[in-house]
Amino acid sequence: MTMMRRTRVHASNQSRFGCFFFSFLFVLFCAMLDRTSASLARSEIESLVSLMNSLNRTGWYSDLPRAKVENACEWPEIGCECEGGDGLCKISFVSFYGMDLTGELPRDGLPNMLESVKIFDVGNNRLRGAVTNAFVRSFPNLKSFKLGVNNLEGSIPYELGNLKWLEEIDLDGGFTERQIYYDDGFPKAKKNKYGVPGSHFGNQFTGQIPESFRFLQRLKVLNIHRNLLSGPISYNALAYLQSLEYLDLSGNRDLSGQIPAAAIGRLRNIKELFLDDCTFSGPIPLGMSSAEKLEVIVLEGNKLSGRVNPRAFPINITTLDLHDNFFSGPIPETLSIFKRLEVLLLHGNMFLGEVPQSLRRLPVLKTVSLAFNRNLCGPIPFFLPNAPKEAIEEECDKPTEPCKLYPARIETNLGKPCDCARRDQSCFSSASSIVLSLPTGASAEKCCEEGFSCEPTSGFGEKSCVPCMNANERCDGTVYGRPNCCKAGLICDGDGVCKGCSQTYQQCGGEYWTGAECCTSGNSCVFVDRYYSQCRPSSSFTIGDGTTSELRPPISFNQQQLYRDPTSSFTCQEKWQQCGGQFWTGPNRCCDANDFCFVQDEYYAQCRPKIPACASNYGQCGGRLWQKNAGSSLNSCCDPSYYCFTQDEYYSQCRPRYERNGLPCARTYEQCGGSLGPNGPRCCANSGDYCFVQDAYYAQCRPKMFS
């Protein structure tokens, strides 16, 4: 037994030694194989050496403590693929970003094609010269081509359009001379990077976008910011980029003509569009609205003019930047259709008249700018949100420049009454356009009174105030000379048609309300709270039993209280006035004795009446946020002859017991269903009854104990 045990132990040790020995050999073999696999193929080495010599002739790559070129796969700037059976590798990416290179890209291309390179990045250097078609052909399978922030020049190589796998092109021109030398926020280490003032800074690609780009079906990012592109943008160069998500052509001062709306509208995946600081002119054409994924549109700093037609933009935009152009006319009421809009920058234009109340319907609007529109007038739009702290810090950080974000009203007449033209009066002064040296298409208009619009009335450029559109008429501005507005109370809906007035007991107003703000004949729109107004019978009404009852007077509400200057001195706020919230400068949470300060959110609080024991007839008796912070429990009781009717999650109302949904209910033994007209009762007035269905043609209210 002992000898056998020893033998087994000895055998076990031999086995362990053998495993260790073979494991060591395997690791050594793998290490040798890995080292061998890190060696570049000879053709790859020749092309890499040629590239590096051209980028900088000072032997910069050999001055650093790194492996030899044969083992460049070990460099952090080089990536390799080592899948061949010969143990040699091919370069998969080249990244010489920010290495202060001062040479050129090889004009005659590389000695051998680098077919495995997917990423080529030499951005943020000082490379000069042109980018040739021969050089581009050296990377037939490229996915990312980054040359941004250099000193490159010449035309954009046509051969880029033949790189069928290309997903990103970055030719960013870099920073302006003012940014480099005068902006305190610009890094000091880079202030002299692009030469002295007078020399060129950054890339200066000239000409136009090659039409060969139409073949780049996989291209997602195209950045040619701040170069020297010129002329109108070719439709064929953009319209076929079906994968494009990001397009930046801003800062090309010689790009002119109209905004290429038709081409942009074909880009089904575009999300961000930057065409600012160019020389585009004229009105914004229709066409972009087809790009349903487009969220950010920046067109500031051009020579765009005419009316702003919201139908020109896609419905899902979150940022619309139109500042520093020559747009004229009133701010469109139909901007309220963009329910995802967060940023609206309109400063530095020629907008006129009152700020439309419809903007209060934008539920997520955060940043607004209205400054430097001298003809804006009327009530101060306190319903607009104050710009958030982050936006103010970013936009208003220069002490020598005024802050243009709301609530700034620099160079406007907001808070002063509008002196608008009346019906059929002239609203256009050609002399003013000449004096102001406005571009073609821009005009010095005068506002029209409510319900009218300034439109052409002759072929000689004359304009006068004409009535806005009636109910069920088109209001999208697609017909020349027809207003893109609706008469007072109507609203231009999502289909571009003026929506008619609300019926009895239907909603007719309130924050975020998108429907009509008027009522049919015999009704009046009664304010209930910030979020709800309702059409109610003007004088009397008939309930289910045929009796007539007088309607209690509606809640008194002075609309002008919304525009009272919050800096004026008075002890407490009156009913329905603001009493608190972030950025609020008036009395804080102070209301009259019969009111309480209702906190809507962190930005808004309002003085509202204290809640009585039971709601009044036709008064509110429930709903989301109702009686919040009132200091008492929710009370949904009504007068015994009334019941609490739930209209939606935000509003419930005390209505006569003998009606449901505005219709009278049937009494005991009266018909309550079956083959009836559309106005027949479908409920029982007596709570002790139920609606007995006899057949398809007849149902009757019967006592619950009836057999």
Side-chain angles (χ1 to χ4, degrees):
M1 292 291 293
T2 304
M3 290 181 61
M4 185 179 293
R5 184 179 295 116
R6 286 181 179 176
T7 303
R8 288 181 178 177
V9 171
H10 178 69
S12 176
N13 289 338
Q14 284 184 331
S15 175
R16 289 179 183 177
F17 176 79
C19 290
F20 175 80
F21 178 77
F22 284 109
S23 298
F24 173 79
L25 290 179
F26 178 78
V27 171
L28 181 61
F29 172 78
C30 291
M32 294 177 64
L33 181 62
D34 183 66
R35 184 175 180 180
T36 303
S37 65
S39 299
L40 283 175
R42 176 56 55 186
S43 60
E44 303 278 311
I45 295 174
E46 291 177 357
S47 294
L48 181 59
V49 171
S50 174
L51 173 64
M52 293 189 299
N53 284 335
S54 181
L55 294 179
N56 196 322
R57 300 182 185 281
T58 59
W60 56 277
Y61 56 90
S62 60
D63 296 337
L64 299 175
R66 60 175 74 233
K68 296 181 179 180
V69 178
E70 291 80 0
N71 302 114
C73 294
E74 300 177 14
W75 298 0
E77 299 88 359
I78 302 295
C80 296
E81 294 178 354
C82 307
E83 298 178 354
D86 55 3
L88 298 178
C89 299
K90 293 184 177 181
I91 299 174
S92 60
F93 75 79
V94 177
S95 178
F96 294 136
Y97 177 86
M99 300 189 70
D100 203 30
L101 305 180
T102 59
E104 298 182 355
L105 298 174
R107 292 177 177 268
D108 298 328
L110 301 178
N112 305 289
M113 287 187 180
L114 297 179
E115 297 181 351
S116 297
V117 172
K118 305 298 190 298
I119 299 174
F120 182 80
D121 185 358
V122 291
N124 197 18
N125 286 287
R126 289 187 288 165
L127 299 177
R128 298 180 179 273
V131 182
T132 64
N133 288 317
F135 176 74
V136 173
R137 282 193 291 268
S138 300
F139 305 92
N141 296 309
L142 204 60
K143 289 186 176 181
S144 179
F145 191 52
K146 297 183 178 182
L147 308 180
V149 196
N150 279 285
N151 298 148
L152 300 169
E153 55 191 2
S155 59
I156 298 174
Y158 184 91
E159 195 68 29
L160 280 174
N162 293 326
L163 302 182
K164 63 179 181 179
W165 302 105
L166 202 56
E167 297 180 0
E168 179 180 10
I169 298 177
D170 181 4
L171 307 179
D172 195 324
F175 306 97
T176 65
E177 179 179 341
R178 180 176 181 83
Q179 286 175 316
I180 294 172
Y181 287 95
Y182 302 104
D183 192 339
D184 292 336
F186 197 88
K188 292 183 179 180
K190 295 183 178 180
K191 283 188 180 291
N192 296 317
K193 183 172 184 176
Y194 303 98
V196 297
S199 64
H200 63 264
F201 301 91
N203 294 331
Q204 287 193 331
F205 288 104
T206 57
Q208 296 183 333
I209 301 174
E211 292 200 3
S212 63
F213 276 25
R214 64 183 299 172
F215 302 115
L216 298 176
Q217 296 297 308
R218 293 178 173 84
L219 189 66
K220 296 181 180 180
V221 176
L222 179 57
N223 180 5
I224 318 180
H225 161 252
R226 215 193 72 78
N227 278 268
L228 297 178
L229 300 182
S230 60
I233 297 177
S234 168
Y235 174 87
N236 290 332
L238 291 183
Y240 301 96
L241 303 178
Q242 294 301 300
S243 299
L244 194 65
E245 299 177 2
Y246 178 94
L247 176 61
D248 188 352
L249 302 179
S250 62
N252 289 274
R253 282 296 183 182
D254 293 326
L255 275 182
S256 58
Q258 284 193 323
I259 297 291
I264 295 169
R266 287 178 53 94
L267 306 179
R268 59 188 180 187
N269 288 303
I270 186 74
K271 296 178 181 178
E272 298 181 59
L273 174 67
F274 298 90
L275 298 179
D276 47 300
D277 294 324
C278 299
T279 320
F280 294 112
S281 59
I284 300 175
L286 300 177
M288 278 193 290
S289 58
S290 302
E292 296 181 352
K293 293 185 179 180
L294 184 55
E295 296 181 348
V296 177
I297 299 178
V298 180
L299 304 178
E300 60 99 354
N302 283 281
K303 294 184 178 180
L304 300 171
S305 59
R307 302 283 184 88
V308 173
N309 187 349
R311 306 289 165 187
F313 307 113
I315 195 65
N316 291 316
I317 56 173
T318 59
T319 297
L320 182 59
D321 185 354
L322 304 178
H323 79 266
D324 290 342
N325 279 285
F326 295 91
F327 291 114
S328 58
I331 297 175
E333 294 184 3
T334 47
L335 285 173
S336 60
I337 65 175
F338 302 121
K339 299 305 179 185
R340 298 183 61 201
L341 191 63
E342 298 180 10
V343 178
L344 178 62
L345 305 182
L346 303 177
H347 61 271
N349 281 284
M350 302 172 63
F351 291 112
L352 53 82
E354 296 185 6
V355 177
Q357 292 281 320
S358 61
L359 295 186
R360 72 180 187 272
R361 299 174 183 160
L362 298 173
V364 294
L365 189 63
K366 298 177 182 178
T367 304
V368 184
S369 64
L370 302 173
F372 294 96
N373 286 281
R374 297 183 179 181
N375 292 323
L376 282 181
C377 54
I380 298 172
F382 288 128
F383 55 83
L384 291 179
N386 295 311
K389 180 180 179 181
E390 298 78 11
I392 292 176
E393 290 177 349
E394 180 178 351
E395 179 72 18
C396 311
D397 58 347
K398 296 180 176 61
T400 58
E401 296 183 9
C403 184
K404 305 178 183 69
L405 298 182
Y406 193 81
R409 302 187 296 275
I410 307 166
E411 296 292 333
T412 70
N413 283 312
L414 290 173
K416 300 178 182 179
C418 293
D419 181 21
C420 297
R422 299 180 180 275
R423 179 170 185 166
D424 297 329
Q425 289 184 344
S426 175
C427 54
F428 171 69
S429 173
S430 58
S432 299
S433 298
I434 297 174
V435 171
L436 295 174
S437 300
L438 302 180
T440 303
S443 62
E445 289 186 11
K446 185 177 182 180
C447 61
C448 295
E449 62 182 354
E450 185 179 6
F452 293 84
S453 176
C454 187
E455 302 294 340
T457 54
S458 72
F460 301 98
E462 298 179 359
K463 294 184 179 181
S464 60
C465 294
V466 300
C468 291
M469 309 308 292
N470 297 310
N472 301 320
E473 292 183 334
R474 297 208 65 83
C475 51
D476 52 7
T478 55
V479 181
Y480 178 76
R482 300 293 297 275
N484 62 345
C485 60
C486 299
K487 287 188 175 179
L490 304 181
I491 184 170
C492 192
D493 65 9
D495 297 324
V497 177
C498 289
K499 187 179 293 184
C501 297
S502 300
Q503 304 292 324
T504 307
Y505 300 128
Q506 289 183 342
Q507 188 170 356
C508 57
E511 192 163 323
Y512 310 144
W513 170 242
T514 59
E517 295 182 332
C518 61
C519 300
T520 54
S521 178
N523 297 282
S524 58
C525 189
V526 178
F527 176 88
V528 177
D529 58 25
R530 181 184 180 187
Y531 297 95
Y532 191 83
S533 295
Q534 184 187 48
C535 288
R536 299 180 184 176
S538 299
S539 57
S540 63
F541 59 94
T542 302
I543 58 178
D545 57 3
T547 60
T548 301
S549 175
E550 292 296 324
L551 182 68
R552 297 185 62 178
I555 299 171
S556 175
F557 176 70
N558 182 3
Q559 186 72 15
Q560 293 302 317
Q561 290 178 359
L562 286 176
Y563 309 121
R564 178 174 293 181
D565 186 357
T567 61
S568 60
S569 58
F570 50 90
T571 306
C572 286
Q573 296 294 79
E574 299 176 7
K575 187 180 298 181
W576 308 119
Q577 287 187 327
Q578 187 172 359
C579 56
Q582 190 172 347
F583 305 121
W584 171 243
T585 58
N588 188 29
R589 299 184 66 83
C590 176
C591 300
D592 292 340
N594 295 324
D595 302 327
F596 73 100
C597 191
F598 170 87
V599 179
Q600 170 63 38
D601 52 37
E602 62 178 316
Y603 299 102
Y604 188 82
Q606 183 187 49
C607 288
R608 296 188 178 184
K610 291 182 178 179
I611 307 301
C614 278
S616 60
N617 296 346
Y618 291 99
Q620 187 173 2
C621 56
R624 188 176 178 183
L625 302 178
W626 184 62
Q627 290 190 9
K628 181 181 178 182
N629 301 322
S632 61
S633 60
L634 287 177
N635 194 342
S636 59
C637 67
C638 300
D639 185 90
S641 61
Y642 285 70
Y643 75 102
C644 190
F645 168 77
T646 301
Q647 176 162 312
D648 53 38
E649 62 176 317
Y650 295 98
Y651 188 77
S652 297
Q653 181 189 48
C654 287
R655 293 188 180 181
R657 187 171 294 278
Y658 297 127
E659 69 172 20
R660 292 291 189 273
N661 297 322
L663 299 175
C665 292
R667 294 176 178 272
T668 305
Y669 299 116
E670 289 183 346
Q671 188 172 358
C672 58
S675 180
L676 299 172
N679 295 324
R682 301 281 178 174
C683 56
C684 297
N686 192 335
S687 59
D689 293 349
Y690 74 103
C691 191
F692 170 78
V693 179
Q694 179 170 307
D695 52 35
Y697 301 95
Y698 187 79
Q700 183 187 51
C701 286
R702 298 183 180 182
K704 292 181 180 179
M705 298 303 295
F706 182 82
S707 59

